[in-house]
Amino acid sequence: MTTHKKALTIDTINPNVLKVHYAVRGEIPNKAAEFEQQLHEGKNLPFDSVVWTNIGNPQQQPNLGQEPLTFWRQVSALTEYPALLDMPAEARDAMFPADTQERARELLEAFGSVGAYTSSKGVPLVRRHVAEFLKERDGHDEDIHNIYLTAGASAGISLMFQVFFGSGDGVLIPIPQYPLYSATLSLLNVEPMKYSLRSDHCWDPSDTDVRRQIDLAVKHGIKPRAIVVINPGNPTGSCMSKEQIYDVIKVAYEFDLAIFADEVYQVNIYQKERPFASFRKVLLDLRHSSDPTERDMSEKVELASLHSTSKGVAGECGRRGGFFVLNNFDADVEAQVNKMASIGLCPPTQGQIGVDLLVRPPKPGDPSYELYAKQIHNIHETLHQRSLLIAEKFNELEGVKADPAMGALYMFPRLHLPKAVADEAEKVGKKVDELYCMELLKETGICVVPGSGFGYTPRVLDDGSSYSYFRTTLLAKATDKFVERYVRFHKSFMERYKNK
């Protein structure tokens, strides 16, 4: 009798999959999920809840639980169940303001049904509204044929990277970086060219290191194709100035690179010194330059800009809505993007509706405006105040340096840990930040992500002490209790390892 063998084993699957790492849902979050299940089963642990600060998921229950924006959910409800629009007027108007009804009818006319496929790029009405949003934001018109609606920004990156890059190519990614980029490049067998962000200077890009990485790649037979920029920064919470954006565009022009601008946190700005400026605006503004080289840059540098409904103040992560816009791309290349988008049939319809709500919120004078404005102000201010509180309390601790977030939903505190921590980490086969974050989880239930999960390797000093980082979100609903747990842990941790 013939013995059946598995057709698919760890040795026969795509070997590139084995190289993929995604720390924000990796070992520590997996262990946190085990602890949460144990608590649900009534087991006694040193804590009574898991605090999920590993991922930007604002509406996650129970310990984050940001309230959804009412306008969004009312329009979504009407588009999901159109019979509500046919209720008696008195009952309907008591539940749904007139502008939500008007928006829902307009969207239903364009979609037909949220259960039906749409065009692969997304519903033209929504894409037109995106074009109007871009015009208002940047001061430049946009052809809707350059706009693609997507299942979140992540799906846009996956689609474009599949089309644009192959083996032998290299893509510049910032370090530290959101691991979507390194993971996607690993899957495609594309070389990540890691350029440093300056930890001592607001995590600004290092132009010197960008150029160094390009030189190194060329020497090793790798063809640099593109540069990824995350602004506002994830995991760093940084914001770029217009001058820094211009410098990136200049490098892209000089070395024939496309730019991928991840701008999903553009609404999350907590200071006035560095307001958000889009790469698209800075690039297209060069059309009016008196310098012929800069005008040429504005027409030649390929730019893909991404936005999402998951972040900002909406936090509608599960609806999977986003878009990207292509500027200066070759028409034949864009046709291939369109072809690959067609294979996926279409983005989720409620995600597309979310994009429409993102780019066309209620305006002053609309029935929903007052409540909408109050809700977004409260969410934004809450995030800002949490950033300030976390920074204040963390900076009082020995060995911790935490800058308040300039933007985005995260903070990236630095740890200076005693020699014994590095010794213990080596003994158990972990990096120092992994050891620290796992012990933090086991003792407090706080789930954060080690800095090494974002590509930032801990640095061991001559005296054996070490520098490392971890990322925490600003989303914990009970931030005071989160900070109390963390402060208690860190003091105990430092005391334990200083005495080893």
Side-chain angles (χ1 to χ4, degrees), residues 39 54-55 75 114 124 144 156 184 205 207 224-225 227 249 266 271 371 373-374 376 424 465 476:
L39 289 170
N54 63 303
I55 195 166
V75 174
V114 295
I144 72 163
T184 304
D207 182 73
R225 294 288 187 191
I227 181 169
I249 293 171
Q266 59 189 259
Q271 40 71 46
L371 176 59
K374 180 180 178 181
I376 63 171
E424 180 66 17
S465 65

Side-chain angles (χ1 to χ4, degrees), residues 24-172:
V24 296
R25 291 183 184 266
E27 179 188 13
I28 291 173
N30 288 340
K31 177 60 71 174
E34 288 181 26
F35 287 154
E36 194 164 63
Q37 180 61 31
Q38 290 172 14
L39 289 170
H40 180 71
E41 294 168 355
K43 294 186 179 179
N44 289 322
L45 294 174
F47 43 86
D48 59 8
S49 64
V50 171
V51 181
W52 295 95
T53 69
N54 63 303
I55 195 166
N57 189 18
Q59 295 185 33
Q60 183 177 12
Q61 300 290 347
N63 58 27
L64 303 183
Q66 174 182 300
E67 292 297 320
L69 296 172
T70 302
F71 179 76
W72 282 55
R73 290 304 177 87
Q74 288 175 329
V75 174
S76 297
L78 291 168
T79 56
E80 196 70 39
Y81 190 53
L84 293 171
L85 290 166
D86 298 325
M87 289 192 303
E90 184 176 353
R92 184 185 68 225
D93 294 346
M95 189 177 298
F96 298 102
D99 55 341
T100 65
Q101 297 178 45
E102 181 182 348
R103 180 70 65 89
R105 292 183 193 279
E106 181 184 18
L107 289 167
L108 285 168
E109 184 177 348
F111 279 78
S113 166
V114 295
Y117 289 136
T118 72
S119 62
S120 300
K121 288 184 174 183
V123 167
L125 174 72
V126 179
R127 288 160 54 219
R128 282 200 299 273
H129 292 157
V130 172
E132 291 166 3
F133 163 81
L134 294 171
K135 170 68 180 295
E136 182 177 355
R137 188 193 69 182
D138 300 335
H140 298 280
D141 290 326
E142 190 56 68
D143 188 331
I144 72 163
H145 296 293
N146 297 331
I147 296 168
Y148 288 73
L149 307 186
T150 59
S154 299
I157 284 293
S158 178
L159 168 63
M160 288 189 286
F161 278 24
Q162 286 182 67
V163 174
F164 299 151
F165 311 125
S167 181
D169 291 338
V171 175
L172 286 149

Side-chain angles (χ1 to χ4, degrees), residues 185-204:
L185 295 176
S186 294
L187 187 61
L188 298 173
N189 198 30
V190 175
E191 189 69 25
M193 300 159 56
K194 302 175 181 180
Y195 69 92
S196 299
L197 302 179
R198 299 168 57 192
S199 60
D200 60 342
H201 200 274
C202 302
W203 297 103
D204 293 337

Side-chain angles (χ1 to χ4, degrees), residues 250-325:
K250 188 176 179 181
V251 168
Y253 179 74
E254 182 179 344
F255 292 98
D256 300 326
L257 303 174
I259 300 173
F260 289 83
D262 180 337
E263 298 172 336
V264 302
Y265 299 99
Q266 59 189 259
V267 175
N268 302 108
I269 305 293
Y270 310 115
Q271 40 71 46
K272 296 180 180 179
E273 291 75 19
R274 293 189 179 186
F276 172 75
S278 73
F279 267 77
R280 181 176 177 273
K281 176 175 175 56
V282 176
L283 175 65
L284 299 186
D285 278 353
L286 296 177
R287 291 174 176 175
H288 308 300
S289 173
S290 59
D291 184 333
T293 300
E294 291 186 341
R295 292 199 301 273
D296 197 48
M297 289 163 61
S298 75
E299 297 173 356
K300 299 290 178 58
V301 173
E302 296 133 296
L303 171 66
S305 311
L306 299 108
H307 199 8
S308 170
T309 66
S310 299
K311 311 305 177 186
V313 293
E316 294 283 359
C317 302
R319 292 183 182 272
R320 308 313 300 133
F323 69 84
F324 65 80
V325 55

